[in-house]
Amino acid sequence: MCDITAVLTVDLLAQVLDWLHDSRDLKSCRLVSRAFLQAERMHRRAIRALRLGPLPVLLRRYVGSLQSLDLSSCPSLDDSALSLSIPCPNNLRSVSLSRATGVTWRGLEVLASVCPRIEAIDISHCVGFGDREAAAVAKACWLKELRIDKCLNVTDVGLAKVAVGCSRLEKLGIKWCFEISDIGIDLLVKKCLELRELDISYLKVGNESLRSIASLSKLEDLALVGCEYIDDEGLYFLSNGNCSLQSIDISRCENVTSVGLTTLAEGQQRLRKINAGNCSPVLTSTFVSKLCTLGDTLIILKLDKLQLLASALEIVGKNCRNLLEIGLSKCNGVNDEGISWLVEGCTHLSTIDLTCCLLVTDKSLLSIATCCRGVKCLRLESCVLISEKGLDQIASCCTDLKEIDLTDCNVNDNALKCLSRCSELLVLKVGLCSGVSDIGLSFIGTNCSKLLELDLYRCTAITDDGLAAISNGCKRLKKLNLCYCNQISDTGLAHLQLEELSDLELRGMVRITSSGITAMAMGCRSLTQLDLKRCYSIDDAGMWALAQYTENLRQLTISYCTVTGLGLCHILGSLRCLQDVKMVHLSWVSIEGFELALRASCGKLKKVKLLGKLQDVLSSELLQTLQSRGCRIRWVNKPLVFKG
């Protein structure tokens, strides 16, 4: 038999790997032979590390090819670990340090020096990031993309440092940086002339910032979500500026009215995406009529929570025929007539959001099925007037449907039988649908093998048999919500043998015990998020099983479980990737148990939820140590009860 590695060079093998997208397939290739291992080393461009231990070895192995490094999931990442992890020289172009609260200006200076050609840094949600850290980042003079969202200590001074040092910036996110004002935005605009994408959502800036931003000739994407001091005057500046906007998000800007939106549509005629949701509640016909000037370019339009009449949707349908996505969530006045007018003109729609449009019935679904056969995403949460009749039309005509949300729609097994004909379905949400039972899940399990996400929240008719059908047929599931499905027992959990499952919610499932958790943990070793709140029969044995089998677990909720201090200490000390723990009302854990458990996990936890009364009895030294290492503690004001 001919050895393929003797025929194909390493370069050709690397090209073969370009066709493999599943991480498990890549891992299998790596184990075939040394030639395949060498090809994989040449091919690897990105690494997302879950823990620091093996990181230096990995980086040395891929130092020649690696361009992107994601350390956002690494607990205990600090300046020293960051400095030791990154080899020099390297070809890194992108580094993510999101939520790396232990990294300060010292680590960032090292990063800038050992990665001289770095182009993208994400350090968002780092509570300690301030002006000094911004000055360190500014030393990366080739930087093109920077995200410092929710870095609350950054002021105009820090932004000025970045603007002066990183004049090549093309993408900048400063969302929730509340200390930045109009002055900082003005200096940024004067120094960073290459900006193409800018996110200043929730900043306390006003119209003067938009006057400055309007001079950016290359700006294409602008996000202004929740900027409460911006009004129609600011949009007037944008409409008459030099920028050629293609996308604007002004959702939740309460002082923006239809007048400002109309002005914007008149002045920015290259707009492809508009999100004006939750602005002025009344949308005038003047603005809607101006959308006709964007008819050739507009592909995404979101008008959530606005007052819309059928006549407005008729205008959109007639003039915006290239629309691919429409958002009408919680829009008063949306009815079957309006949807019919809309889809008759916008036949290319692939995403339609009708969440909480209470007047929509099966007639709308029939119109969508008839006119928009290529629809891929349909959100119908709380559309209580639809039934299996409309869904049957959708399933018959829209065979490429990939996502549908039917939460709180009162659909039943017949509806799932219809939807099971959509073999390309990836996301299915039927929470709060009491008519869904094992029969409906058997149809889904048999025909929807590609399903990645399934939401069965409070589907109380589902039993162990239904869970078995899903587990046997939908092997690629990554996210599963079974909260308050109270008929499911340990037998059902034992059916969960899903290698790719990462997010599992079991809140309020009172019939499951530690035996079921053990069986589930053995079959679902890729879990990163697990919710066990109000699972009253789960005790220390369940914690030991999780510690042994789910080593990648990052987020855990065990509030109201019957865990003792021993089990809590073991799981918090054993799980090296654990970062977020909610442990309210653990009545069997003593003060000493909480102390030992928190000390065992000190340095890796980023978020903890505890009873407020513990703040008075836990060691102040322990709490200070946790907070100094970047752990945010949320205190819940409820009575403290001990049973142990």
Side-chain angles (χ1 to χ4, degrees), residues 282 335 340 371 391 408 520:
V282 179
N335 57 22
S340 176
C371 302
L391 294 172
D408 197 21
M520 178 276 299

Side-chain angles (χ1 to χ4, degrees), residues 25 37 70 81 108 114 119 126 171 188 230 260 281 344 352 366 461 468 479 496 512 533 562 578 610 643:
D25 293 337
L37 178 61
D70 186 348
L108 293 172
V114 300
E119 297 178 353
C126 290
K171 300 179 182 180
L188 171 72
I230 287 174
E344 279 184 16
I352 303 175
L366 176 59
K479 187 173 182 178
L496 289 180
I512 64 173
K533 183 178 180 179
T562 53
L578 194 63
L610 295 165
K643 296 181 181 178

Side-chain angles (χ1 to χ4, degrees), residues 447-465:
N447 300 307
C448 301
S449 60
K450 297 181 181 180
L451 202 66
L452 300 179
E453 180 179 345
L454 178 61
D455 188 343
L456 301 171
Y457 176 79
R458 289 189 184 273
C459 292
T460 52
I462 294 172
T463 71
D464 296 336
D465 292 338

Side-chain angles (χ1 to χ4, degrees), residues 470-489:
I470 289 297
S471 184
N472 292 331
C474 306
K475 291 295 186 181
R476 297 176 59 187
L477 268 180
K478 296 182 181 295
K479 187 173 182 178
L480 178 61
N481 186 345
L482 298 171
C483 293
Y484 300 101
C485 295
N486 291 325
Q487 293 198 56
I488 294 177
S489 67

Side-chain angles (χ1 to χ4, degrees), residues 179-198:
E179 298 300 319
I180 292 176
S181 69
D182 292 331
I183 297 173
I185 298 297
D186 184 57
L187 181 59
L188 171 72
V189 168
K190 290 177 179 177
K191 295 296 183 180
C192 299
L193 303 178
E194 302 295 318
L195 275 175
R196 298 180 183 275
E197 296 182 17
L198 179 61

Side-chain angles (χ1 to χ4, degrees), residues 581-632:
V581 184
K582 297 177 179 66
M583 40 187 181
V584 178
H585 283 300
L586 295 184
S587 303
W588 295 92
V589 180
S590 65
I591 302 298
E592 293 77 12
F594 278 112
E595 286 266 354
L596 290 172
L598 289 171
R599 290 186 186 278
S601 60
C602 196
K604 61 186 178 184
L605 288 182
K606 295 182 178 181
K607 292 174 65 178
V608 175
K609 187 176 181 180
L610 295 165
L611 282 175
K613 297 293 184 181
L614 288 173
Q615 192 172 5
D616 301 325
V617 294
L618 289 174
S619 164
S620 58
E621 172 266 329
L622 170 62
L623 298 180
Q624 290 173 4
T625 301
L626 285 169
Q627 292 171 344
S628 67
R629 297 189 179 183
C631 180
R632 291 191 295 117

Side-chain angles (χ1 to χ4, degrees), residues 430-442:
V430 289
L432 295 170
C433 294
S434 56
V436 170
S437 71
D438 298 343
I439 297 173
L441 292 188
S442 67

